[in-house]
Amino acid sequence: MRRRPRIALVLSGGGSRGAYEAGVIRYLRERLPRLLGHQVHFDILSGTSVGAINALLPPNLLPTAVSVDATVLLFALVLTIVTGLLFGIAPAWHSAKTDLNAVLMQATRASSGVRPGLRNGLAAAELALATVLLIGSGLLTQSLLRLQHVNLGFQADRLLTFQLALPANAYATDQRATFHRNLLDSLRTIPGVRGAAVSSGIPFGNGAYTTTPIVTIGSSPLPPEAAVPTDWRFVSPGYFDAMKIPLLRGREFADADMPSTAPLTVIVSQATAQRFWGDADPIGRILHRQGDLKRQYTVVGVVGDVRHSTLTTESPAIYYPSVALAQAVDVVVRTQGPPTSVLSAVRQRVHALDASLPISTVRTMDEWLTTSAAQPRLNAVLLIIFAGVAMLIAAIGIYSVLAYSVNQRTREIGLRMALGAPRGQVLKMVVREGMTVGAVGVVSGVIAALAISRVLSSLVFGVEVRDPLTYTGVAIVLAMIAFIACVIPALKASRVDPIVALRYD
């Protein structure tokens, strides 16, 4: 039996313009409450999902917790209404203006007013968008996996960190140096502690990272008097051992390097040595800060490169053998077991030296790394979610287009089968129609992803943005999903009873 049309038309002569408009209004009056109902359900879902989002977000990633914003909800509501009007008026108005005499004379059901090419184009666009998002999520996921196994330049496990800020009115420069020395000697005697050191800034921490133009004296691949901005930090003796930063050449700092009257020495990272002197031996070379020729530093050692601020890049650095000039310092403690197992003992040793001195920002290095990887992880997760939703919408779109096409062509399919067309041929015909749409969507999505690959290059690490395996894998997955979405209406079409279909009107 033919279903009743959604639009009630007033038959007066050939149908007046007022009757057409009344039909459109009735249609919208029926559809808008449904759209608003869906929006209400969406608002309820958004409210209940806020708690889950806040639980998934790592600490300190955002300044405030995520909450449901009234402005955003209002925008979503308006967008829902506008979308419903735009995509509802066109087919409704077209159907209302249909020639009734032609409709009554047709042997098949009247079209909804939306051309097959437009329907297929929308489904292909959905699939293209899903392709772009899936390719992006695949690249970001690979990038995240590579970041988790990147060489940091030091050992992050079993490392406890905290900050100390010595009051300037209570600790002069010499007193700060004495306090740090006594603190480290005390911390190293705690059972389970393998090493301790002080620095003006630790990797991925909140310490100050400052760049200073550095000039080398003597032969160098650089132009004469060329100043190179270089990261620097103060460290105490034992810092490289506690952090497990490898010493490549020369020696580490000793207590003899700490006094202000000692010869000025520095240790440079491997990238810094390569930048200033190429493959030449850097030991014994002279450096100075730009504009400060009086304070010349002799290189006594070369250590491995460390990723100080981001997981994606190494930071060429210079290390100075003094922390007395820094009022706020980071303390690192290398432990044999879990870092938190010595935390109470560490607090006792600090308070034994100064009961009024608080320690802050107590974290393990693994926690610092988790925070540093939070943003790329969040990017990957969000893109995966968006890609999954887009893939689901694309599959539903292809299925809906084919299901509607099969429903419209029921009489045609029945006639074909009555004239002897085998069921397999009908099945192939419907699947071929759907897979054509799917192929256009996937190919368009791949081309679009290639076009915006430069944008993705700033978001990925260690992954080729035009990785053929990722593109091929996404294309195969989406082609399989499109095929499944095609098979369901195709099977329905192949099971049409010719006798029933020929009576379909």
Side-chain angles (χ1 to χ4, degrees), residues 337-503:
T340 54
S341 62
V342 301
L343 179 56
S344 60
V346 168
R347 292 183 184 275
Q348 292 175 1
R349 299 301 174 93
V350 173
H351 293 162
L353 295 175
D354 188 341
S356 64
L357 190 64
I359 66 175
S360 61
T361 321
V362 180
R363 293 186 184 180
T364 65
M365 184 56 68
D366 289 333
E367 291 174 339
W368 285 116
L369 292 176
T370 299
T371 302
S372 299
Q375 189 62 58
R377 184 184 297 110
L378 180 62
N379 293 341
V381 170
L382 289 179
L383 198 54
I384 289 173
I385 294 175
F386 294 153
V389 173
M391 184 173 60
L392 177 61
I393 294 175
I396 295 175
I398 293 178
Y399 169 79
S400 301
V401 167
L402 288 182
Y404 179 82
S405 177
V406 168
N407 199 33
Q408 291 290 93
R409 299 169 62 184
T410 300
R411 183 179 179 85
E412 174 195 342
I413 293 172
L415 182 60
R416 288 175 180 268
M417 298 181 68
L419 294 176
R423 296 182 184 274
Q425 182 178 352
V426 174
L427 183 67
K428 291 180 181 178
M429 178 186 68
V430 177
V431 171
R432 181 171 59 250
E433 178 184 343
M435 289 306 296
T436 300
V437 176
V440 172
V442 171
V443 172
S444 301
V446 170
I447 295 175
L450 290 173
I452 64 172
S453 58
R454 291 186 178 180
V455 178
L456 292 175
S457 62
S458 61
L459 302 175
V460 300
F461 167 75
V463 179
E464 174 58 44
V465 291
R466 297 186 177 182
D467 179 33
L469 293 179
T470 301
Y471 282 69
T472 303
V474 169
I476 292 175
V477 169
L478 288 177
M480 293 175 61
I481 293 175
F483 178 76
I484 295 173
C486 294
V487 166
I488 299 176
L491 289 175
K492 179 182 178 181
S494 66
R495 293 169 182 166
V496 169
D497 187 343
I499 302 300
V500 177
L502 291 175
R503 294 177 180 174

Side-chain angles (χ1 to χ4, degrees), residues 234-355:
F234 296 115
V235 298
S236 67
Y239 174 78
F240 302 108
D241 180 65
M243 295 291 295
K244 298 302 178 184
I245 300 175
L247 178 67
L248 305 180
R249 290 185 181 181
R251 64 175 178 85
E252 293 191 22
F253 292 133
D255 290 337
D257 298 310
M258 301 301 288
S260 57
T261 56
L264 301 179
T265 58
V266 292
I267 292 177
V268 299
S269 65
Q270 186 176 21
T272 302
Q274 183 70 26
R275 176 186 296 177
F276 280 107
W277 304 289
D279 296 330
D281 187 4
I283 304 301
R285 301 281 186 159
I286 305 299
L287 295 172
H288 67 87
R289 298 173 184 173
Q290 187 180 33
D292 187 7
L293 287 173
K294 295 182 178 180
R295 300 177 61 85
Q296 298 183 0
Y297 298 84
T298 303
V299 177
V300 297
V302 179
V303 295
D305 294 321
V306 174
R307 299 178 189 271
H308 281 105
S309 55
T310 65
L311 292 170
T312 56
T313 57
E314 296 174 337
S315 304
I318 294 179
Y319 301 91
Y320 297 96
S322 175
V323 291
L325 299 178
Q327 182 179 352
V329 296
D330 288 281
V331 183
V332 295
V333 180
R334 170 74 58 181
T335 63
Q336 294 179 349
T340 54
S341 62
V342 301
L343 179 56
S344 60
V346 168
R347 292 183 184 275
Q348 292 175 1
R349 299 301 174 93
V350 173
H351 293 162
L353 295 175
D354 188 341

